[in-house]
Amino acid sequence: MELNSNQIAKILPQSYPFLMIDRVVDFKKGESLTAIKNITGNEWFFDDQSCRSEVFPETLLIEAAAQAAILFYRLNNEGKKPDSQIFLGRTKAEFFRPVYVGDQLNLKTASYKMLEASGYVDIDARVNEVETARIEIMYSIVK
C-alpha cells in the first residue's frame, strides 16, 4: 500500500505546515510502515534568518516519527471509529548523524506491541541507508 500527501492529510490530525510525512511507500498490516519526508530548504522552520543552519531539527525528526506511528496505528485500525485521540507516552531517541536540506528521510515504523488502548513502536530513521536516528514511542489511545 502506498499513500500520497493528500491521502496522508486525511488520516493525520496534523495539518500544513506541521505535516511531516510526504508519502507512505510501504505498509504491512500489523508489522511495519515505511514513510518518507523530503527535507527541502523552503520548509517553514528554515525561514528564520537567525537560524542559518541547514540541519533538520531533531525535535521535528521526533515529530515526523510520531506521525509515522499515528499513520501505522490508524491504518492497522481501519474501519474502527477514528474519533479516538492518540497521546504520546514515553519517547526515547538516539541520534547518530544530522539530517540536512536535500536529504530524503526514510522512517521505518515497526510494531513492537499494539494493544486496544496503547502501543509501542520502534522507528528507524535513515538517509541513503545510513541510520540517522532510532526512536522508540509509547502511546495510549483515548476514545
Side-chain angles (χ1 to χ4, degrees):
M1 169 191 284
E2 293 187 14
L3 299 173
N4 63 35
S5 60
N6 292 329
Q7 293 166 311
I8 292 167
K10 291 177 184 175
I11 298 170
L12 289 177
Q14 292 84 350
S15 59
Y16 179 82
F18 212 60
L19 196 58
M20 294 288 146
I21 303 294
D22 294 324
R23 60 193 163 111
V24 171
V25 295
D26 186 46
F27 170 69
K28 293 180 181 91
K29 190 169 181 123
E31 292 179 31
S32 65
L33 175 136
T34 303
I36 302 293
K37 169 66 179 158
N38 295 307
I39 312 302
T40 63
N42 62 351
E43 303 272 6
W44 61 269
F45 43 84
F46 290 125
D47 283 346
D48 185 7
Q49 293 299 320
S50 66
C51 177
R52 303 239 182 241
S53 173
E54 292 189 349
V55 175
F56 186 60
E58 292 172 341
T59 53
L60 295 179
L61 197 153
I62 292 172
E63 175 63 26
Q67 290 181 22
I70 292 169
L71 279 168
F72 182 67
Y73 173 80
R74 294 275 192 225
L75 291 173
N76 275 291
N77 291 286
E78 269 187 323
K80 294 185 181 178
K81 289 187 176 182
D83 59 352
S84 59
Q85 293 182 356
I86 302 173
F87 289 93
L88 184 64
R90 182 181 67 84
T91 302
K92 178 183 173 189
E94 295 178 86
F95 299 98
F96 306 111
R97 88 165 203 51
V99 178
Y100 298 99
V101 169
D103 285 346
Q104 184 177 72
L105 184 63
N106 183 307
L107 299 158
K108 179 149 187 179
T109 303
S111 177
Y112 181 73
K113 185 174 262 190
M114 194 180 322
L115 304 169
E116 183 72 25
S118 64
Y120 182 90
V121 294
D122 291 318
I123 297 108
D124 181 41
R126 294 181 176 264
V127 173
N128 297 325
E129 300 300 320
V130 176
E131 189 173 32
T132 60
R134 191 175 310 132
I135 302 165
E136 301 169 359
I137 295 177
M138 291 180 73
Y139 60 89
S140 62
I141 311 301
V142 178
K143 298 186 185 224

